[in-house]
Amino acid sequence: MEMSDAFTFELHHYRMKKQTGFEGIIGPFGKVLTIRPGSRMPGRKSLPAAELCLQGAHMPEVRYRSDSFHPLSLENSSLFIDGTRAALDFNRRAFRNKSRALTVTFRERSYTYTVVRTDRTFVLERPGVNVTLERAETTTRRSVKYVGAASDGADEVDLALAIVLKEVDTSPLTSIGAASAAVNAVLSPRRPEGGDYSD
């Protein structure tokens, strides 16, 4: 694995006819692209799980599968890095955001993924290393950009994991999101999925 000095980077949202995601130049690791289908097929009652993948010449192969298409869910999901499954877990009963942080276990590593500001700032940490992504203000609603910062010692696995998790619905990791989900579950027990991905 290639270790890096501290650096900053940007991710920009893109949309094509059949796919959507984010792209950017990630310091010494070069260009990175996340890819997910642009929409689900209309008129189908039984829909397959959604999948997000990350591509980059100097990045590991990362695939995130979710039963929920938009947004990608933490529930009923799986994450694979170079073919090895990473374990995902968080404390659903905790009240504070820090206590509800997502724990990601991959091989010998244990990560903590925290939402600092709901849907705005995300921090991935392991001992001695952290990667932060923050949504930046843009001139138009459809122009979405994230500014990232990687600490000394961050490698391609750290960056890939932070970038992929940024596209997952992290509202369950916040007390506000958990409360909102509980209310929605009572008012709307089952909402149909589908539609185009949008930010």
Side-chain angles (χ1 to χ4, degrees), residues 40 49-50 64-79 85 88-93 100 102 165 167-174 177-178 181-182 185 190 193:
R40 282 199 164 175
Y64 188 96
R65 290 179 61 84
S66 166
D67 283 349
S68 172
F69 179 74
H70 173 60
L72 292 172
S73 174
L74 282 173
E75 304 288 351
N76 301 316
S77 62
S78 58
L79 171 66
R85 185 164 186 167
L88 305 173
D89 190 33
F90 66 96
N91 188 348
R92 293 162 177 80
R93 296 184 178 182
R100 294 182 67 89
L102 178 69
L165 289 177
E167 294 202 50
V168 177
D169 176 19
T170 52
S171 60
L173 303 181
T174 69
R190 181 66 177 175
E193 297 176 5

Side-chain angles (χ1 to χ4, degrees), residues 94-115:
F95 179 73
R96 301 180 62 179
N97 288 10
K98 190 171 183 179
S99 299
R100 294 182 67 89
L102 178 69
T103 299
V104 182
T105 305
F106 172 65
R107 294 176 179 166
E108 75 284 359
R109 294 185 177 184
S110 180
Y111 292 92
T112 300
Y113 187 70
T114 309
V115 181

Side-chain angles (χ1 to χ4, degrees), residues 7-12 22 26 120-122 131-138 144-150 166:
F7 66 92
T8 59
F9 60 95
E10 293 184 357
L11 292 172
H12 296 265
F22 283 82
I26 313 302
R120 304 292 298 188
T121 305
F122 311 90
V131 180
T132 301
L133 279 164
E134 182 172 6
R135 182 160 176 165
E137 298 295 335
T138 54
V144 181
K145 179 176 78 172
Y146 283 85
V147 176
K166 193 273 311 162

Side-chain angles (χ1 to χ4, degrees), residues 12-16 19-23 33-36:
H12 296 265
H13 182 252
Y14 75 89
R15 181 187 297 276
M16 300 172 65
Q19 68 186 47
T20 185
F22 283 82
E23 61 184 349
L33 187 74
T34 62
I35 301 172
R36 56 186 287 187

